């Protein structure tokens, strides 16, 4: 029996799954050529893998590091769950289609029924998915984890401007200048200053990645430096909000960014940047202004994903 379509499919639905504590992993075997094979023998891990096709399981178990295996597994499960819940098909009939540009989607094999446009991203221990059953709506999503420990160390070695310049191929000259010279309010110093600058940098990165993924092109798109984001602000982390404003894991959302390309402002694109916990940001891009975004939902693996798989 197929799961009922989700109510949020009237717009763009957005899900997040944290795989950090999912699927047990031996402390002594976290990477290596045989690590994935050994990991797959666990009872709970086998259960999750069995919801995938043989080809999908093979792709998941190709990874060298178990953290990447878990992210890939979470991504595959979320894709099928999105198809089942939004299109009302049994899990056994769920499959992942591809557009000519290789961007994933769901198209019914018999040509009848709902289509699903979606995009997936993962970083750190999070997997994010955004989807919409309007086949004329293009979707892009990107999640980034601000690794302040690693990045602050590199910045101190290289200097801020030098570190930023290593990413010049991704940003326009104006964006590079903005990132290099931006200063936060409140006059923080030391690591607090560098952390604020890094969040501003990753806000730029996350928005651009989400936009490019919406178009179905990679970060090597020839027009990449001709497109720029203006008025970029990093949303406040969850711990920076007052108690009355905080929604537990969720921080601030920011959507007042402007997109410019070849000196002209781009209209008709909806962008949003959402802070999650203290070190994550999730960017969403949509090609339709009139299609609303649902609030993000943090998935429960058992209640949201496994229940959908086992009900089919």
């Amino acid at each position: 029996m197929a799961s009922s379509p989700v109510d949020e499919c009237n717009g763009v639905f957005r899900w997040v799954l944290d795989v950090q504590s999912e699927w047990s992993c031996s402390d002594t075997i976290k990477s290596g050529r045989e690590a994935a094979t050994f990991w797959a023998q666990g009872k709970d891990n086998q259960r999750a893998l069995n919801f995938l096709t043989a080809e999908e399981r093979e792709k998941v178990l190709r990874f060298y590091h178990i953290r990447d295996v878990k992210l890939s597994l979470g991504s595959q499960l979320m894709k099928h769950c999105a198809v089942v819940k939004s299109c009302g098909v049994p899990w056994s009939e769920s499959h992942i289609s591809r557009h000519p540009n290789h961007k994933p989607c769901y198209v019914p094999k018999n040509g009848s029924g709902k289509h699903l446009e979606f995009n997936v991203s993962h970083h750190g221990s999070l997997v994010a998915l955004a989807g919409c059953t309007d086949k004329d709506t293009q979707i892009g999503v990107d999640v980034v984890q601000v690794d302040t420990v690693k990045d602050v160390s590199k910045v101190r070695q290289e200097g801020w401007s030098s570190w930023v310049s290593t990413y010049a191929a991704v940003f326009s000259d104006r964006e590079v200048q903005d990132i290099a010279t931006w200063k936060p309010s409140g006059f923080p110093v030391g690591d607090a200053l560098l952390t604020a600058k890094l969040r501003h940098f990753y806000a730029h990165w996350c928005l651009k990645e989400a936009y490019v993924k919406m178009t179905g092109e990679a970060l090597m798109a020839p027009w990449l430096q001709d497109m720029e984001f203006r008025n970029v602000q990093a949303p406040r982390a969850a711990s920076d909000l007052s108690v009355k404003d905080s929604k537990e894991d969720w921080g601030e959302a920011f959507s007042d960014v402007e997109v410019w390309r070849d000196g002209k402002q781009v209209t008709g694109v909806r962008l949003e940047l959402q802070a999650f916990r203290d070190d994550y940001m999730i960017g969403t891009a949509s090609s339709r202004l009139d299609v609303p975004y649902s609030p993000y939902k943090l998935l429960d693996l058992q209640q949201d994903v496994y229940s959908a798989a086992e009900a089919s």
Side-chain angles (χ1 to χ4, degrees), residues 119-160:
N119 199 231
V120 180
S121 176
H122 53 73
H123 197 203
S125 65
L126 289 190
V127 186
L129 181 147
C132 183
T133 53
D134 177 3
K135 60 184 179 181
D136 295 323
T137 301
Q138 295 176 293
I139 302 292
V141 69
D142 187 59
V143 56
V144 295
Q145 182 182 31
V146 184
D147 189 341
T148 53
V149 175
K150 179 189 70 175
D151 289 333
V152 165
S153 176
K154 287 185 177 181
V155 169
R156 289 198 181 283
Q157 291 176 5
E158 302 175 20
W160 178 249

Side-chain angles (χ1 to χ4, degrees), residues 101 103 119 121 138-143 170 175 203-219 221 223-230 257-262 264-273 282-289 293:
N101 62 6
K103 187 178 180 182
N119 199 231
S121 176
Q138 295 176 293
I139 302 292
V141 69
D142 187 59
V143 56
V170 176
E175 286 175 316
H204 270 277
W205 182 278
C206 193
L207 286 167
K208 179 155 284 194
E209 181 91 58
Y211 184 98
V212 172
K213 292 179 70 178
M214 177 193 71
T215 68
E217 299 192 52
L219 277 178
W223 45 263
L224 200 60
Q225 290 180 304
D226 299 323
M227 181 193 71
E228 61 189 28
F229 295 96
R230 301 181 186 178
V257 63
E258 295 179 359
V259 186
W260 291 70
R261 183 171 175 179
D262 297 323
K264 298 180 180 179
Q265 188 169 0
V266 177
T267 59
V269 175
R270 179 188 292 270
L271 288 161
E272 185 182 278
L273 193 59
I282 310 168
T284 312
S286 166
S287 63
R288 295 276 299 278
L289 289 175
Y293 287 164

